[in-house]
Amino acid sequence: MIDTHCHFDFSPFNQAPGQYWQAAREVGVTRMVVPSVNEQNWPAVLALTERFSEMYAGLGLHPCFLDTHTDNSLAALEDALVSRPLSCVAVGEAGLDYFVAHTPEMKQRQHALLDSQLWLARRYDLPIILHSRQSHNDLLRLVKAYPGVRGVLHAFSGSEQQGKQFIDAGLMLGVGGTVTYERANKTRQAIARLPLNHLLLETDAPDMPLAGYQGKPNTPAQVSRVVDVVAALKSCDRDHLVAETSGNAERMFGFH
């Protein structure tokens, strides 16, 4: 299994990364993509990929961390991508989040950051890891403005129609803890019907705890439980689901 979205530089993992990675390996996790949220945590994310050969980095500017991005952050991101190691396989985490964008100015700044990161992803032929909350239409419009860009909409929680729109725009869909909640009927039905060759597995750990684990930090080992739920929703063999989604991740991120 490949956890394509885990903030492994965050607490509690940064206190005992070897212990948490071993727990994930014991349930069958073989690789992990660690996206970054701002310029300040790029070194920590890249250091993880140096320590653990099975981990890969995304370098980006997250829309929820606007107050940590400076006027020079985009230039610094391009510099980092120019000199990136082989373990850097994506731009991101980037995107839009209207839940935290309380003013038109904040939305405008999120748009500008995403637009620039989409440009960088296409310029350096890297996939982009996208975050979207309450911003479906605008995110889709911005992605479509960059034909040929590829990436993943992580933490997909939309309808079948929305999923198809993002797939048609060149994206894969990251499937995580949301589908473990029975009340998430719309998204569970969407995952059941959307094509398997456009789905990736993820946890978003330590965020997005699974059903039954509310109030506890999520962990990369929980991707195994996501597999169980998705396999049941799609009425397919667990091993087949793992093989297909891992192949999707290999194609998307081109792991070295």
Side-chain angles (χ1 to χ4, degrees):
M1 294 173 287
I2 299 175
D3 185 351
T4 61
H5 197 110
C6 177
H7 293 282
F8 206 66
D9 57 315
F10 285 12
S11 178
F13 313 125
N14 57 8
Q15 296 155 30
Q19 174 185 326
Y20 282 102
W21 180 233
Q22 182 59 30
R25 287 175 59 89
E26 286 174 359
V27 299
V29 181
T30 57
R31 282 179 170 155
M32 178 194 294
V33 178
V34 186
S36 55
V37 298
N38 58 23
E39 184 179 352
Q40 289 79 7
N41 80 323
W42 298 344
V45 169
L46 290 173
L48 282 169
T49 71
E50 292 176 7
R51 177 173 175 182
F52 301 100
S53 61
E54 308 93 340
M55 294 186 191
Y56 299 83
L59 300 182
L61 303 168
H62 194 295
C64 290
F65 291 77
L66 280 183
D67 59 346
T68 70
H69 307 326
T70 70
D71 292 341
N72 297 321
S73 291
L74 283 166
L77 178 57
E78 181 161 21
D79 288 344
L81 294 175
V82 168
S83 60
R84 68 189 183 277
L86 290 175
S87 61
C88 175
V89 296
V91 173
E93 182 172 351
L96 301 176
D97 192 313
Y98 290 171
F99 182 77
V100 301
H102 305 301
T103 66
E105 291 76 19
M106 291 176 74
K107 283 187 179 182
Q108 184 178 15
R109 189 155 177 239
Q110 286 189 5
H111 282 211
L113 282 168
L114 175 56
D115 185 74
S116 294
Q117 289 177 92
L118 285 163
W119 184 89
L120 288 170
R122 193 167 68 175
R123 169 70 177 81
Y124 294 100
D125 192 26
L126 288 167
I128 187 166
I129 300 169
L130 292 166
H131 169 105
S132 178
R133 186 160 53 160
Q134 301 177 8
S135 58
H136 167 84
N137 291 333
D138 285 349
L139 186 84
L140 189 62
R141 176 177 56 78
L142 282 165
V143 170
K144 285 183 173 180
Y146 288 87
V149 77
R150 67 192 195 282
V152 52
L153 176 65
H154 109 91
F156 175 71
S157 61
S159 66
E160 180 183 6
Q161 179 187 15
Q162 289 172 329
K164 287 179 176 176
Q165 288 176 324
F166 283 115
I167 288 171
D168 289 344
L171 303 180
M172 289 192 182
L173 307 175
V175 185
T178 299
V179 296
T180 66
Y181 290 85
E182 291 190 5
R183 67 175 182 270
N185 192 49
K186 173 186 67 176
T187 300
R188 285 163 65 93
Q189 287 184 2
I191 295 304
R193 295 169 181 163
L194 289 166
L196 183 53
N197 64 350
H198 283 87
L199 302 183
L200 301 175
L201 302 174
E202 64 169 64
T203 60
D204 198 22
D207 298 325
M208 291 186 66
L210 279 62
Y213 294 85
Q214 296 93 320
K216 300 177 182 178
N218 196 5
T219 71
Q222 290 284 53
V223 76
S224 182
R225 296 182 185 274
V226 175
V227 168
D228 291 336
V229 172
V230 176
L233 289 172
K234 298 194 78 64
S235 301
C236 74
D237 177 76
R238 191 181 194 278
D239 290 343
H240 175 68
L241 179 75
V242 170
E244 289 294 312
T245 52
S246 294
N248 296 343
E250 293 270 0
R251 289 194 305 278
M252 174 61 67
F253 295 108
F255 299 124
H256 296 279

